[in-house]
RNA sequence: GCGGAUGUGGCGGAAUUGGCAGACGCACUGGAUUUAGGUUCCAGCGGGGGAAACUUCGUGAGAGUUCAAGUCUCUCCAUCCGCACCA
């Protein structure tokens, strides 16, 4: 069992690529310059995996593996602008990852610290907070992560927390609201104040964070997180220390969101900085060390959690906010906290002020007296990027006993992975056991030193791969800035919702860092984001643990790549989740076969001697041009390819029924156009038909067909006739029939007469070309 | 609890700007072709009533606006997703 992901192209990818590929092909046919690289997944994980399966060393995963990936993608019929190909696992890419890392290290944006980290026993590595899903690894959904204290490398995403949040304003409209909502939530900005309480006796300060400084006179105790550094000095009693340890363990075991409130009195008191009152210092498991300062003031009267805590430990409840409508909270008789804003009372000189005003004035006062200040807290944490894996970019740092942490000189980049490595999947990084890699001289003093053995999270690679695509063979910089200026920000990024707070935060962060390094000018990577729905099987997301995986390779062998792609586009609009249903796949297979038979038959027909035009020709051309208009409209507005494909099916059905009565003249044009329309969705079939029709060159380099409104226009229009909003009849009339004439005809209809007989026609509503409604009373 | 969505036949879905509800496909039924099965082709297919013409009800529930509501407004219900003791 190797400690590597068994990543493989799955149906979610196929759907993702089908959407992007259809769009790119359409844009090409419309004459646009499109850089259409497939996602990082296409190059990264599966290539690594394939290499491992063949027993190759990942260090050599370069062109041969890209070639293999190419073959896989081609087999699935995806087009990629190969002239700009790049793979994130090539040594050149390692080099620029390391180059960026050193730039960040020099600016304090990359740093190393000891921290409790999420450890996945299955991967044998640590994970970032964003990569933990329901307490489990994002790759191993049933393996709970463990907490381990380790020294690890972090990137300072928190330095950009405010900007990451503020710049979302520019993404509104272009990004799905739910992704923005998830990111807002994840960044978790909250405005408040920090206030220092002094420990009575020792004089030590306890800093707390609150969003409701206006309630501070209602603080009846302080509560520290069990992990708070002050706990060890306040609690000296062995029994209590044991209890605190138990508290931490018990909290970790429980279901999040439903954790029993545990508390312990430290025996110490703190001095309230506003009124000098001594308040007890408690320890509570509901206070999180990772948020704010890890300590709070408990205001039981105005915070529900504090209320529950103080109730169960018999701590005083002191209301200090009165609702504007004048009703007082009832103090000790309260059954729940009152969390609204109102008028401050029982609060010394601030009594009588509205909450909002008191907040500002009290924070100003705290600052003037040097015991606090306004403060903004974010929930976002720094991104832990160390991984104890073999594959991945080595972190370019050397530890020297005298010089400390020394970055690898730029001339020595890239640091590449050693070949002589034993991959056990156990314990620490496999690189630690490779002396030729680990033991190096210090670049500064030349004395023996040790190389960092951790490698970077692969989300580092995915954070900027799309920039490298613009200039993949550059060997003196990550890319040329002018190449970026041409393509960035990305006009349209397409991805799964699963990356809403992983990849999409990291890549936004990376973009801002690169901008501050002066490499690019855009502050955001992508103007527009489209998140396609998931591919479900039997109502739930496909996953290895559930065993409901549909293998694209197997489907391709059975039905062909075009069928799979067509089905992923047809089964639902792209933003919606779709259920995988194999009989639906067969429907698409039938459709493609039907098109193929039709076009090959008609190709022979086109060669027949010319004949008199027939009425069927007109009908077929009309449907053809209506279909062009429909599909063009779908591409230009909403990407509902399910309706595009439905309209292609309608066209094919119509051509089937007209087939025998068509004259040879329009047949060639109809076949060519049908093939071009099919091109973005089923490129293999389209290319095949294109050649059968005697044409040359790639279909997606042909101009997109243009709908002729005259040919698309119906001769006669059908107007529904309603009486009091109920459908009663239809009128078949020429286009420019005058309104008065329509009214006269409608009122004279045999089917209408019984419904208006004996009643007064109040008015007749005519919506030109649409409908006619007779209102009677 | 907070946030984001969604609700239409047996199923996936269509109705893009308030204007014929159910396009297209799947499943099903019948017919043609076939020794047979499969394939292919043709037809039917929301519920009730009717032999049929036709009629009536119908877009989670209830109200409202309108000549007209799946679509707009309000109230409620259900489901899904994300976050969740965030001070």
């Amino acid at each position: 069992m190797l400690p590597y992901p068994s990543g493989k192209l799955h149906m979610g990818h196929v759907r993702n690529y089908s959407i992007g590929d259809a769009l790119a092909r359409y844009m090409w046919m419309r004459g646009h310059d499109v850089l259409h690289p497939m996602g990082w997944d296409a190059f990264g994980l599966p290539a690594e995996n394939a290499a491992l399966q063949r027993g190759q060393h990942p260090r050599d995963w370069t062109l041969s593996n890209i070639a293999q990936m190419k073959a896989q993608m081609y087999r699935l019929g995806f087009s990629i602008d190969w002239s700009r190909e790049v793979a994130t696992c090539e040594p050149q890419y390692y080099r620029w990852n390391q180059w960026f890392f050193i730039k960040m290290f020099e600016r304090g944006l990359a740093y190393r610290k000891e921290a409790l980290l999420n450890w996945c026993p299955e991967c044998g590595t640590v994970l970032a907070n964003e990569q933990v899903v329901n307490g489990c690894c994002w790759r191993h959904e049933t393996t709970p992560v463990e907490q381990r204290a380790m020294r690890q490398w972090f990137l300072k995403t928190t330095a950009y927390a405010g900007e990451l949040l503020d710049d979302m304003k520019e993404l509104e409209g272009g990004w799905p609201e739910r992704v923005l909502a998830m990111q807002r939530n994840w960044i978790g900005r909250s405005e408040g104040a920090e206030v220092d309480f002094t420990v009575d006796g020792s004089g030590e300060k306890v800093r707390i964070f609150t969003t409701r400084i206006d309630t501070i006179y209602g603080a009846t105790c302080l509560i520290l997180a069990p992990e708070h550094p002050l706990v060890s000095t306040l609690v000296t009693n062995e029994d209590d220390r044991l209890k605190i340890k138990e508290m931490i363990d018990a909290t970790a075991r429980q279901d999040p969101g439903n954790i029993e409130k545990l508390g312990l009195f430290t025996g110490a008191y703190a001095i309230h900085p506003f009124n000098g009152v001594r308040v007890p210092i408690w320890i509570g498991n509901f206070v999180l060390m990772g948020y704010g300062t890890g300590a709070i003031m408990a205001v039981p009267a105005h915070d529900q959690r504090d209320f529950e805590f103080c109730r169960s430990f018999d701590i005083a409840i002191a209301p200090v906010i009165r609702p504007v409508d004048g009703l007082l909270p009832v103090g000790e008789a309260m059954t729940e906290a009152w969390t609204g804003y109102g008028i401050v009372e029982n609060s010394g000189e601030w009594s009588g002020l509205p909450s909002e005003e008191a907040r500002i004035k009290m924070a100003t006062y705290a600052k003037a007296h040097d015991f606090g200040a306004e403060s903004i807290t974010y929930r976002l944490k720094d991104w832990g990027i160390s991984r104890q894996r073999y594959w991945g970019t080595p972190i370019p740092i050397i530890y020297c006993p005298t010089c400390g942490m020394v970055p690898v000189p730029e001339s020595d980049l890239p640091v590449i992975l050693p070949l002589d490595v034993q991959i056990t999947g156990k314990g620490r990084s496999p690189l630690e056991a490779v002396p030729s890699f680990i033991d190096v001289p210090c670049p500064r003093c030349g004395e023996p030193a040790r190389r960092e053995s951790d490698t970077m999270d692969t989300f580092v690679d995915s954070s900027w791969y799309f920039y490298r695509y613009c200039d993949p063979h550059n060997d003196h910089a990550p890319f040329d800035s002018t190449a970026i200026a041409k393509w960035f920000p990305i006009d349209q990024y397409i991805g799964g919702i699963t990356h809403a707070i992983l990849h999409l935060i990291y890549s936004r962060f990376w973009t801002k860092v690169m901008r501050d390094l002066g490499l690019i000018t855009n502050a955001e990577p992508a103007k527009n984001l489209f998140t396609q729905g998931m591919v479900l099987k039997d109502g739930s997301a496909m996953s290895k643990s559930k065993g409901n995986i549909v293998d694209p390779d197997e489907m391709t062998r059975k039905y062909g790549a075009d069928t799979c792609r067509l089905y992923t586009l047809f089964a639902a609009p792209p933003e919606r989740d779709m259920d995988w249903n194999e009989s639906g796949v067969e429907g698409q297979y039938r459709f493609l076969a039907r098109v193929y038979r039709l076009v090959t038959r008609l190709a022979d027909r086109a060669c027949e001697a010319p004949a008199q035009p027939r009425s069927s020709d007109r009908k077929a051309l009309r449907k053809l041009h209506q279909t062009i208009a429909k599909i063009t409209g779908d591409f230009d507005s909403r990407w509902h390819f399910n309706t595009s494909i439905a309209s292609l099916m309608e066209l094919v059905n119509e051509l089937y029924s007209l087939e025998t009565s068509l004259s040879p003249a329009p047949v060639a044009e109809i076949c060519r156009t049908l093939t071009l329309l099919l091109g973005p969705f089923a490129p293999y079939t389209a290319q095949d038909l294109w050649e059968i029709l005697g044409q040359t060159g790639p279909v997606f380099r042909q101009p997109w067909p243009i709908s002729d409104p005259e040919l698309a226009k119906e001769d006669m229009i059908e107007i529904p006739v309603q009486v009091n909003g109920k459908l009663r009849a239809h009128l078949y009339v020429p286009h420019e029939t005058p309104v008065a004439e329509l009214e006269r005809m409608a009122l004279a209809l045999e089917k209408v007469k019984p419904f208006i007989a004996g009643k007064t026609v109040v008015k007749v509503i005519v919506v030109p070309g649409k409908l006619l409604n007779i209102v009677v009373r």
Side-chain angles (χ1 to χ4, degrees):
Chain A
M1 185 74 186
L2 292 166
Y4 301 103
S6 51
K8 193 176 180 194
L9 210 61
H10 58 73
M11 275 303 167
H13 295 124
V14 172
R15 191 176 193 206
N16 179 209
Y17 303 154
S18 300
I19 295 163
D21 204 43
L23 275 169
R25 285 172 190 269
Y26 171 73
M27 297 301 281
W28 273 318
M29 292 173 85
R30 290 294 298 266
H32 295 282
D33 195 8
V34 182
L35 176 53
H36 167 48
M38 283 303 171
W40 165 79
D41 295 285
F43 296 101
L45 302 182
E48 290 160 2
N49 201 45
L52 282 166
Q53 282 167 2
R54 290 203 317 277
Q56 266 190 3
H57 278 283
R59 213 205 75 173
D60 289 341
W61 306 333
T62 54
L63 290 175
S64 63
N65 305 96
I66 296 167
Q68 194 182 36
M69 271 313 299
K70 264 185 175 176
Q72 191 181 0
M73 298 306 289
Y74 271 133
R75 204 163 63 243
L76 290 165
F78 292 107
S79 61
I80 301 180
D81 201 331
W82 292 115
S83 63
R84 300 183 176 92
E85 76 203 26
V86 62
T88 55
C89 52
E90 63 174 334
Q92 276 294 314
Y93 201 78
Y94 280 9
R95 177 178 169 190
W96 300 116
N97 275 343
Q98 289 162 350
W99 185 86
F100 277 123
F101 181 90
I102 291 166
K103 295 280 174 207
M104 290 195 216
F105 177 74
E106 287 165 357
R107 284 160 180 76
L109 290 170
Y111 66 94
R112 192 166 181 256
K113 72 166 182 196
E114 166 114 17
L116 271 179
L117 289 149
N118 311 299
W119 172 272
C120 174
E122 195 83 20
C123 293
T125 185
V126 297
L127 299 170
N129 295 322
E130 291 83 354
Q131 293 161 7
V132 178
V133 179
N134 294 329
C136 298
C137 170
W138 66 293
R139 275 219 179 92
H140 303 99
E141 296 157 31
T142 53
T143 311
V145 298
E146 297 163 10
Q147 299 295 307
R148 287 200 184 182
M150 300 177 84
R151 286 189 78 81
Q152 297 283 286
W153 284 94
F154 289 85
L155 297 187
K156 210 162 185 171
T157 42
T158 53
Y160 288 89
E163 210 188 331
L164 285 168
L165 188 75
D166 295 343
D167 286 357
M168 265 187 253
K169 285 188 200 82
E170 287 161 41
L171 302 179
E172 270 163 30
W175 282 40
E177 188 47 47
R178 76 173 155 154
V179 172
L180 295 177
M182 281 163 83
Q183 292 211 356
R184 244 178 244 123
N185 202 326
W186 192 259
I187 296 167
R189 178 190 156 102
S190 112
E191 272 181 49
E194 291 187 0
V195 180
D196 291 334
F197 284 63
T198 311
V199 179
D200 194 19
S202 81
E204 277 191 89
K205 306 276 189 204
V206 184
R207 174 158 289 198
I208 61 103
F209 173 76
T210 178
T211 53
R212 291 296 302 273
I213 194 172
D214 56 307
T215 65
I216 199 164
Y217 278 78
T220 51
C221 69
L222 294 191
I223 308 174
L224 309 181
E227 302 89 347
H228 195 282
L230 205 60
V231 168
S232 56
T233 46
L234 294 181
V235 180
T236 47
N237 173 329
E238 253 334 290
D239 268 10
D240 284 352
R241 287 192 168 176
L242 219 67
K243 278 185 200 159
I244 292 163
K245 197 176 177 319
E246 271 170 29
M247 198 189 279
I248 296 171
D249 292 346
T251 309
R253 277 198 306 272
Q254 286 179 64
D255 180 24
N258 192 26
I259 291 171
E260 192 195 346
K261 282 192 173 49
L262 303 172
L264 182 76
F265 179 44
T266 59
Y269 288 82
I271 307 296
H272 193 301
F274 276 86
N275 60 13
V277 170
R278 284 174 83 229
V279 294
I281 302 175
W282 282 70
I283 293 160
N285 66 334
F286 79 99
V287 179
L288 307 173
M289 192 56 223
Y291 183 76
T293 58
I296 62 158
M297 62 173 193
V299 183
H302 304 295
D303 183 285
Q304 189 57 28
R305 294 152 305 179
D306 298 350
F307 182 86
E308 284 163 22
F309 187 86
C310 291
R311 257 293 140 84
S312 53
F313 296 108
D314 224 9
I315 301 165
I317 294 170
V320 291
I321 307 285
R322 155 165 63 83
V324 179
D325 61 20
L327 292 167
L328 285 164
V330 284
E332 293 303 317
M334 288 173 99
T335 54
E336 57 177 15
W338 187 73
T339 57
Y341 291 93
I343 307 296
V344 174
E345 60 175 19
N346 302 328
S347 301
E349 62 191 274
W350 289 279
S351 297
L353 291 178
S355 293
E356 292 81 354
E357 202 183 330
R359 279 173 73 177
I360 297 161
K361 291 196 168 164
M362 290 165 100
T364 310
Y365 177 87
K367 184 160 189 175
H369 291 76
D370 210 24
F371 65 80
E374 279 184 53
S375 156
I376 294 165
T377 288
Y378 294 97
R379 212 173 68 99
L380 184 74
K381 304 220 183 65
D382 284 336
W383 173 17
I385 57 154
S386 290
R387 294 294 178 273
Q388 294 71 48
R389 297 188 205 269
Y390 172 69
W391 58 277
T393 310
I395 291 174
I397 291 289
I398 292 164
Y399 301 100
C400 169
T402 41
C403 307
M405 290 189 286
V406 182
V408 174
E410 204 175 320
S411 56
D412 290 351
L413 297 181
V415 177
I416 54 173
L417 294 162
L419 293 177
D420 48 346
V421 63
Q422 285 297 311
I423 296 164
T424 60
K426 292 199 172 67
R428 303 241 343 145
S429 166
L431 295 176
E432 274 194 335
V434 184
S436 63
F437 180 80
I438 291 295
D439 299 329
V440 286
C442 168
R444 213 164 273 168
C445 66
E447 293 301 308
R450 265 179 83 77
R451 194 190 289 284
E452 170 66 65
S453 61
D454 285 349
T455 52
M456 296 181 202
D457 183 4
T458 52
F459 277 96
V460 168
D461 303 57
S462 61
S463 291
W464 67 283
Y465 72 97
F466 31 78
Y467 289 94
R468 180 76 181 168
Y469 277 129
C470 298
D471 191 13
H473 304 298
N474 196 326
D475 60 4
H476 57 273
F479 44 73
D480 187 88
S481 297
T482 52
I484 303 304
K486 174 172 163 56
W487 293 106
F488 274 78
I490 296 166
D491 293 296
Q492 188 63 59
Y493 201 54
I494 303 174
I497 187 68
T498 44
H499 287 137
I501 49 169
L502 289 156
H503 170 56
L504 293 173
I505 289 245
Y506 299 144
S507 57
R508 292 184 62 217
F509 160 75
W510 206 278
T511 292
K512 289 174 195 308
V513 171
M514 292 197 301
R515 180 206 53 196
D516 289 348
L517 291 173
L519 294 170
I520 57 174
T521 52
N522 53 299
E524 286 291 334
K527 273 189 285 197
N528 296 295
L529 169 71
F530 186 88
T531 46
Q532 87 268 5
M534 287 184 297
V535 180
L536 309 175
K537 184 80 203 299
D538 309 319
S540 57
M542 290 189 191
S543 79
K544 267 165 266 164
S545 57
K546 291 196 191 93
N548 58 352
I549 298 281
V550 177
D551 177 10
D553 279 342
E554 197 190 315
M555 293 312 284
T556 303
R557 272 194 297 277
K558 205 163 163 189
Y559 298 104
D562 280 354
T563 300
C564 294
R565 304 178 68 193
L566 211 52
Y567 178 68
T568 64
L569 295 172
F570 180 75
E575 71 277 7
R576 206 183 296 187
D577 288 348
M578 59 165 279
D579 204 67
W580 188 268
N581 171 351
E582 196 161 333
S583 56
V585 180
E586 280 172 28
Q588 299 310 306
Y589 183 76
R590 276 202 285 270
F591 168 64
L592 282 176
R594 236 167 109 78
V595 176
Y596 197 90
R597 283 195 300 270
L598 177 79
V599 173
T600 47
R601 278 200 306 265
L602 288 178
D604 295 338
R605 172 73 67 83
C607 302
E608 288 173 13
Q612 285 294 310
R614 301 181 190 146
S615 64
S616 300
D617 300 351
R618 171 85 185 91
K619 267 174 128 170
L621 282 171
R622 179 158 59 222
K623 189 70 183 173
L624 180 73
H625 282 264
Q626 287 170 349
T627 308
I628 299 169
K630 165 73 185 152
I631 296 176
T632 307
D634 279 342
F635 268 117
D636 290 346
S637 61
R638 52 177 205 167
W639 306 356
H640 279 200
F641 304 126
N642 53 333
T643 60
S644 305
I645 294 165
S647 73
L648 272 176
M649 289 172 170
E650 282 186 60
L651 172 63
V652 170
N653 290 348
E654 178 95 353
L655 292 174
Y656 259 76
S657 65
L658 295 173
E659 189 183 349
T660 49
S661 56
L662 284 177
S663 67
V667 156
E669 188 209 327
I670 289 171
C671 287
R672 277 199 304 271
T673 307
L674 171 60
T675 302
L676 295 176
L677 293 175
L678 189 66
F681 312 112
Y684 274 153
T685 310
Q687 189 64 44
D688 209 359
L689 293 173
W690 193 243
E691 282 157 27
I692 286 168
L693 291 167
Q695 308 294 317
T696 54
V699 168
F700 70 93
R701 296 293 185 193
Q702 305 302 317
W704 182 253
I706 305 294
S707 173
D708 181 338
E710 277 308 309
L711 286 173
K713 197 171 174 183
E714 298 283 349
D715 295 333
M716 299 283 276
I717 50 171
E718 183 186 16
I719 300 206
V721 176
Q722 299 179 338
V723 179
N724 283 350
K726 286 197 191 234
L727 181 69
R728 295 302 176 193
H730 287 97
L731 278 174
Y732 300 89
V733 295
H735 271 280
E736 278 81 27
T737 311
V739 169
E741 175 70 3
L742 283 173
E743 282 187 30
R744 195 192 58 75
M745 289 169 77
L747 291 168
L749 283 169
E750 284 304 322
K751 282 182 178 172
V752 168
K753 277 180 181 165
F755 295 98
I756 57 176
K759 292 177 179 154
T760 318
V761 176
V762 181
K763 62 176 158 177
V764 179
I765 289 156
V766 182
V767 185
K770 282 265 172 129
L771 165 140
L772 186 149
N773 189 13
I774 302 164
V775 186
V776 297
R777 196 180 289 143

